[in-house]
């Protein structure tokens, strides 16, 4: 269903994976990758949102540093992904997300645009809400804590966490509840990366339930 596209951003041209629904779209969603790149998993996420009636696009943020990044879910992949994420930086990602939203708005009659992100992308989705005013869904955004208290949501916000996530312990989830009283926060009986069927922590019941909450959120906030 999806296909590669080229995306013009404020800091250079990058690639992206885009999918359009077979019906008139409900709206549009910018999908923000994990640190592993626009992988098979992220492309499947984009295609799945399109199958549910949304225009979806996943910018390849790491193209600013290295093209065609698809890292393995292992220690080497984590280490390289962290390096690339640090080199790209969240400020540049915000420009890319804004460019992707504009691309969708100008090429389709897609209506409103939201953003969803996973892990590193979950924090980027949170920041896109605060800085760009986009309705956002954040899945296990483990890098969000340092921004709490001085970054403030400007649109509806849904956050998914795993109950047994070692990277986001309960006290960090509590900090989110304290600083983001306007956000809807879900905690699922799962670990980190529970939405990705290529990871050891994949938990299908939580992934499916979180997807339904996410679709309902976007239906409510974008249509």
């Amino acid at each position: 269903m999806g296909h590669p596209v080229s995306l013009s951003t404020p800091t250079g041209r990058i690639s992206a994976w885009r999918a359009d629904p077979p019906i008139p779209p409900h709206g549009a969603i910018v999908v923000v990758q994990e640190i592993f790149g626009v992988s098979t998993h992220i492309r499947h996420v984009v295609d799945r949102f399109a199958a549910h009636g949304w225009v979806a696009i996943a910018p390849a943020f790491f193209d600013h540093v290295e093209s065609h990044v698809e890292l393995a879910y292992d220690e080497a992949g984590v280490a390289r992904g962290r390096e690339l994420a640090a080199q790209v930086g969240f400020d540049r990602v915000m420009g890319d997300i804004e460019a992707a939203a504009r691309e969708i708005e100008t090429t389709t009659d897609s209506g409103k645009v939201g953003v969803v992100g996973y892990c590193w992308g979950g924090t980027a989705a949170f920041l896109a809400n605060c800085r760009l005013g986009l309705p956002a869904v954040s899945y296990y955004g483990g890098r969000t804590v340092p921004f709490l208290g001085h970054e403030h949501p400007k649109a509806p916000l849904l956050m998914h966490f795993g109950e047994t996530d070692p990277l986001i312990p309960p006290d960090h989830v509590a900090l989110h509840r304290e600083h983001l009283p306007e956000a809807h926060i879900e905690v699922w009986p799962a670990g980190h990366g529970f939405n990705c069927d290529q990871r050891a922590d994949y938990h299908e019941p939580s992934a499916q339930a979180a997807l339904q909450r996410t679709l309902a959120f976007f239906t409510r906030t974008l249509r």
Side-chain angles (χ1 to χ4, degrees):
M1 180 182 295
H3 58 280
V5 296
S6 180
L7 183 65
S8 178
T9 81
T11 54
R13 188 167 288 277
I14 62 174
S15 63
W17 186 261
R18 174 173 174 162
D20 292 80
I23 59 174
H26 306 317
I29 300 170
V30 179
V31 177
V32 188
Q33 63 180 65
E34 308 159 310
I35 59 170
F36 304 98
V38 180
S39 60
T40 302
H41 167 61
I42 293 299
R43 295 195 295 272
H44 285 168
V45 169
V46 170
D47 292 349
R48 184 172 61 210
F49 279 120
H52 283 282
W54 306 86
V55 179
I57 185 170
F61 305 102
F62 290 173
D63 277 6
H64 291 296
V65 178
E66 180 181 321
S67 299
H68 310 299
V69 173
E70 290 192 46
L71 302 172
Y73 291 98
D74 56 19
E75 289 186 11
V78 169
R80 182 56 180 153
R82 286 175 175 169
E83 291 176 357
L84 291 168
Q87 290 179 61
V88 172
F90 284 126
D91 289 341
R92 184 150 51 177
V93 167
M94 293 302 104
D96 292 350
I97 292 174
E98 192 168 29
R102 185 170 60 251
E103 170 74 14
I104 292 174
E105 290 173 331
T106 58
T107 58
T108 60
D109 183 18
S110 60
K112 297 180 180 180
V113 180
V115 57
V116 60
Y118 304 84
C119 192
W120 174 75
T123 296
F126 167 75
L127 292 174
N129 181 299
C130 297
R131 300 179 184 181
L132 305 177
L134 297 176
V137 179
S138 170
Y139 277 76
Y140 32 85
R143 292 166 175 81
T144 306
V145 168
F147 297 104
L148 298 176
H150 62 275
E151 297 275 1
H152 304 287
K154 295 179 180 175
L157 175 64
L158 170 62
M159 311 187 90
H160 297 294
F161 296 104
E163 189 174 43
T164 58
D165 186 342
L167 302 180
I168 311 174
D171 59 320
H172 284 194
V173 177
L175 284 173
H176 286 76
R177 295 191 188 277
E178 177 185 346
H179 288 283
L180 304 170
E182 63 275 79
H184 186 83
I185 295 176
E186 296 278 4
V187 180
W188 303 97
H192 190 76
F194 67 80
N195 184 70
C196 178
D197 60 6
Q198 297 178 21
R199 303 180 71 156
D201 274 337
Y202 175 61
H203 188 250
E204 185 175 3
S206 295
Q208 292 301 321
L211 174 62
Q212 293 308 310
R213 296 291 174 87
T214 296
L215 292 171
F217 171 87
F218 283 130
T219 297
R220 184 172 65 254
T221 60
L222 299 183
R223 294 186 70 172

